[in-house]
Amino acid sequence: MTPPDVPRSVERGVIGELYWHIQDPVVLWTDGRVVAWNPAAEAAFDVTAEAATAEGFDLQQVFGEATGALHELLAVGGAAELVCAGGCELRLHAAVWRLHGSVDAPLVIMLRDLTDDHRRMDGLAQLNAIGRRLLGETSAEVILQLIVEEAKAMLGADFSALMTLRPGSRSDIAHFAYDAPRDQFPDRLPRCVGLLAVPIDTGAPARLDDIRGHPEGVGIPVRHPPIAALLAVPVMGSTGAVGELAVANAPGRRAFDEVDEALLGELAAHAALAISVAAGRAAERAAKEVEVSLGRMALHDLRTPIAIASGSLQVLRSAGDALSDEQRNDLFAALERSLGRIHDLTEGIARARDREGEPSATVTEVVVQTLVQDAFAAVDDLALRREVLLVHDASATGPVPVLLDVPVALHALENLLTNAVKHSPVGQSVTVTARLQDDLLRFDVTDNGPGLSPHDQARAFDGRLGGPSDVDGAGVGLSIVRRLLEASGGGVGVSSQLGHGATFWCTVPVQQPESAPH
């Protein structure tokens, strides 16, 4: 049975149920006025059929600046695109024809809403342009600010924000960019909880027409611009959400729709790609800086063994047979130690460069006391020249052998000893204490030198320590010690007080022989 309020059929000269169910606005026009206005027109223009068909209704109310173009179509028929700027802010494709051949028949105005299609096309064009610009940027901060500005402009939003999370965290914010008047900036960073946590927790957008009074509206700072409509989308990385991009409108402004959601999601994808590329470029720059730094450090630490080897060769060449067997053996021993030192340095630098952050896989069994004595032998000449006594406290380790990366441990200990001897007053002593701490072997190298200020302690291992008061500098050698030890799973540190000497310490991973892999 046909419902009583719907025409039974579509007959010539009669608008039937297609008129009532079609999703596009359809208007009947005759004698200079609207005579019918279907439900789709009511929804599109927010004007009831009763109001539209009433005497005195003017199409200007809904078509705005496009009214003149529509009247031209009514006069001649055909089709055109109408831009209703200043009125309903719609872009419409309008087609006009007479219902049937009679000149007295009503005109049919069929309208198709192209607004979303144009918004999508315009948005995609903007995304293409911003994508090219983003991939040319190398600064993450610049990228974030460009993204929030583009989000605000593309969606016509009042406010926009972009936050990225700290690696390994689901709530701590690493970066925050915001596009709003400076006097309306939040009083603190937002927190990724409540509504703001939804995109990160679910990997899906969160779109609300009005967040005021929403039970999950937490995490937003107490002081913030008045907002109602909110749209937030995740910024996805290879392991999940790494942040989110959000836009908001003030109360009374429009709510966001599916087109906004799609465009903001595409922009967030551009942001993720740009941030990833920028991070890769930053890592590449850092790797190059490390390589240059390692080369500089190597030149610093290689000078001494090269000088000793060169000096030994010169004496052997010039003195010849005049040397006693003991003198000749001493020179060959010094030459052999220097070459071994150069070999250890180059091997250690290669490990630090190529396997940074990984524990060493090459371990050798050694007695700690032997290791310390080998380190003493490497700096013995310097200690003799400066009249500094080298002392080893072996009570904490004894003669039990351990398995460790001997070249790395020896290099670290030699550098700490060299630094301590250089900064010790004449006639004083440098003491080495070794002790096992679970799976680490710790060396403490204590001198009676001038000590370091808290400021110098903070930068002791970053290659910047040095100056007129230093003896041959210290920072570069200590910096390579830190890098080599960290590459092997160990660490370094310093404890000092101005005027009371310093204790530099280092740790290296060890294994007990019985637990070592075979």
Side-chain angles (χ1 to χ4, degrees):
M1 174 180 285
T2 304
D5 58 341
V6 176
R8 289 174 297 174
S9 62
V10 179
E11 300 176 6
R12 183 176 177 79
V14 178
I15 294 294
E17 59 183 304
L18 177 63
Y19 173 84
W20 301 102
H21 290 290
I22 192 170
Q23 298 299 309
D24 295 323
V26 180
V27 179
L28 293 188
W29 177 270
T30 189
D31 297 331
R33 59 185 290 266
V34 174
V35 294
W37 187 269
N38 77 340
E42 290 187 334
F45 301 119
D46 195 24
V47 174
T48 64
E50 290 77 12
T53 55
E55 290 287 344
F57 177 75
D58 187 352
L59 292 177
Q60 178 82 30
Q61 297 179 40
V62 293
F63 287 92
E65 296 176 6
T67 306
L70 178 60
H71 279 296
E72 290 180 9
L73 280 178
L74 291 172
V76 299
E81 185 170 309
L82 307 178
V83 180
C84 304
C88 54
E89 299 184 357
L90 295 175
R91 297 179 72 120
L92 303 169
H93 178 271
V96 175
W97 70 92
R98 288 205 178 272
L99 190 57
H100 54 73
S102 170
V103 294
D104 297 328
L107 289 169
V108 178
I109 309 171
M110 178 169 283
L111 302 162
R112 173 154 295 175
D113 188 353
L114 303 178
T115 308
D116 287 350
D117 293 336
H118 279 277
R119 286 176 58 203
R120 287 190 181 93
M121 289 187 292
D122 292 344
L124 291 175
Q126 289 176 268
L127 286 168
N128 287 333
I130 191 67
R132 290 191 295 271
R133 184 178 178 188
L134 287 173
L135 291 178
E137 291 291 344
T138 58
S139 167
E141 287 73 16
V142 172
I143 288 173
L144 298 182
Q145 194 59 43
L146 285 174
I147 289 291
V148 295
E149 292 172 1
E150 188 66 22
K152 181 178 176 181
M154 183 183 296
L155 273 63
D158 293 327
F159 314 104
S160 59
L162 174 60
M163 63 189 78
T164 60
L165 299 175
R166 294 191 184 280
S169 173
R170 305 298 295 175
S171 59
D172 294 338
I173 295 176
H175 297 96
F176 180 71
Y178 193 55
D179 191 356
R182 178 64 60 176
D183 60 352
Q184 292 186 330
F185 265 47
D187 55 356
R188 61 170 174 79
L189 288 177
R191 293 177 295 122
C192 291
V193 297
L195 290 176
L196 295 182
V198 172
I200 292 174
D201 291 342
T202 66
R207 176 159 53 94
L208 295 95
D209 292 347
D210 195 338
I211 68 167
R212 292 174 296 176
H214 194 284
E216 294 297 323
V218 295
I220 300 173
V222 174
R223 179 181 176 272
H224 68 275
I227 60 177
L230 173 70
L231 171 61
V233 299
V235 177
M236 303 299 293
S238 59
T239 58
V242 296
E244 71 178 69
L245 176 61
V247 290
N249 277 337
R253 293 268 284 122
R254 73 176 184 91
F256 299 105
D257 58 20
E258 292 86 354
V259 177
D260 297 313
E261 185 177 308
L263 291 175
L264 196 65
E266 288 292 331
L267 185 57
H270 280 64
L273 177 60
I275 292 170
S276 176
V277 170
R281 288 172 178 163
E284 184 178 354
R285 289 195 304 271
K288 289 180 179 178
E289 291 172 0
V290 167
E291 187 171 352
V292 171
S293 178
L294 285 172
R296 182 167 57 91
M297 295 172 190
L299 289 175
H300 172 275
D301 279 3
L302 287 170
R303 282 201 304 263
T304 298
I306 289 174
I308 293 174
S310 178
S312 300
L313 286 173
Q314 288 179 5
V315 172
L316 286 168
R317 183 180 294 113
S318 61
D321 295 337
L323 296 172
S324 67
D325 289 343
E326 183 179 359
Q327 290 173 326
R328 189 178 292 106
N329 289 337
D330 287 344
L331 288 171
F332 277 120
L335 182 59
E336 187 177 48
R337 285 197 304 270
S338 297
L339 292 175
R341 171 76 164 148
I342 292 170
H343 174 270
D344 291 345
L345 279 171
T346 55
E347 287 297 310
I349 292 168
R351 280 194 296 274
R353 182 190 60 205
D354 299 333
R355 298 169 51 245
E356 188 166 3
E358 298 179 9
S360 175
T362 57
V363 294
T364 306
E365 183 173 298
V366 67
V367 175
V368 174
Q369 185 170 353
T370 301
L371 186 68
V372 175
Q373 292 304 319
D374 289 343
F376 279 179
V379 299
D380 190 55
D381 290 342
L382 177 63
L384 287 174
R385 291 198 305 271
R386 296 190 58 81
E387 299 180 22
V388 173
L389 179 64
L390 301 177
V391 179
H392 175 212
D393 178 4
S395 59
T397 54
V400 178
V402 293
L403 290 171
L404 51 74
D405 190 331
V406 173
V408 168
L410 190 59
H411 173 75
L413 187 54
E414 288 175 10
N415 268 270
L416 296 188
L417 280 167
T418 300
N419 178 67
V421 170
K422 286 180 177 180
H423 292 83
S424 290
V426 174
Q428 294 293 319
S429 63
V430 170
T431 302
V432 174
T433 301
R435 62 180 182 273
L436 290 168
Q437 297 178 328
D438 298 324
D439 58 349
L440 293 174
L441 174 62
R442 170 167 170 154
F443 293 105
D444 289 272
V445 180
T446 303
D447 63 59
N448 296 299
L452 291 91
S453 67
H455 176 70
D456 283 341
Q457 291 179 53
R459 61 183 191 146
F461 296 95
D462 64 5
R464 293 180 294 163
L465 197 61
S469 63
D470 289 332
V471 182
D472 299 330
V476 176
L478 295 178
S479 179
I480 198 172
V481 167
R482 174 183 63 82
R483 197 169 295 280
L484 288 173
L485 288 172
E486 289 178 351
S488 301
V492 291
V494 61
S495 174
S496 182
Q497 186 177 352
L498 277 175
H500 297 279
T503 296
F504 283 81
W505 58 265
C506 67
T507 59
V508 290
V510 297
Q511 301 176 33
Q512 299 300 328
E514 60 270 16
S515 64
H518 297 287

